[in-house]
Amino acid sequence: MPVTPDDARLMDVQQGGRCFYCDGPIGAGATFDHLVPRAYGGVDDPANVVLAHRRCNQRKGDRLPDRGELDRFFTLRRSSRLGVWGPLRALRDAEEGDEWIAVARAISQDKRAAIQVSRPAAAGNHPLPETNPTRSG
């Protein structure tokens, strides 16, 4: 679900009106930065987004957050309704050198779970009606 104005205000309060990366005052020039970049499967959801200066967002580019950034993010979101996206948890728990693999696996599992949730619960429990493949007449 995309970031709403209420989500952005809550992020601003949680971050103390500061850029997630440089800790400078953010003001009206805040941009949304996706911790797991959208180009690599990151979702446009508050659980994957922080507020950052445009220059800090651009400087981060398409890299994954480092350990310090993850720790800060988890601390900010500890008891927040904004939450933490599952693949970020997998990234935090990944062995050094396996970060991208851990994130990719978690994104794949997250997408599979979303597909299963979107299907009717009983869809797999009802076989298709049997048809007679031969025609009469």
Side-chain angles (χ1 to χ4, degrees):
M1 108 184 154
V3 179
T4 67
D6 284 344
D7 296 334
R9 281 190 289 277
L10 182 54
M11 277 183 228
D12 187 44
V13 168
Q14 285 179 338
Q15 291 180 214
R18 320 237 11 120
C19 173
F20 183 77
Y21 296 104
C22 76
D23 202 38
I26 200 95
T31 62
F32 296 135
D33 180 62
H34 298 81
L35 291 175
V36 174
R38 292 177 68 194
Y40 296 110
V43 294
D44 189 24
D45 186 282
N48 184 44
V49 172
V50 294
L51 297 178
H53 290 121
R54 180 174 308 282
R55 71 181 178 278
C56 294
N57 192 341
Q58 291 170 339
R59 194 175 304 134
K60 178 198 170 246
D62 63 357
R63 70 171 173 80
L64 291 174
D66 63 31
R67 182 68 54 193
E69 292 163 347
L70 281 171
D71 290 345
R72 189 165 59 254
F73 181 74
F74 277 82
T75 298
L76 287 170
R77 299 296 174 89
R78 184 167 288 135
S79 60
S80 172
R81 72 166 175 81
L82 297 175
V84 175
W85 188 43
L88 287 168
R89 293 179 194 284
L91 174 59
R92 180 191 60 188
D93 299 338
E95 296 290 325
E96 189 172 341
D98 289 339
E99 295 90 351
W100 281 108
I101 293 169
V103 169
R105 283 183 182 144
I107 289 171
S108 176
Q109 290 169 350
D110 194 57
K111 287 182 179 180
R112 277 196 303 260
I115 289 169
Q116 289 174 349
V117 167
S118 69
R119 291 182 183 155
N125 298 330
H126 298 288
L128 294 174
E130 289 190 33
T131 58
N132 187 348
T134 59
R135 291 186 179 199
S136 59

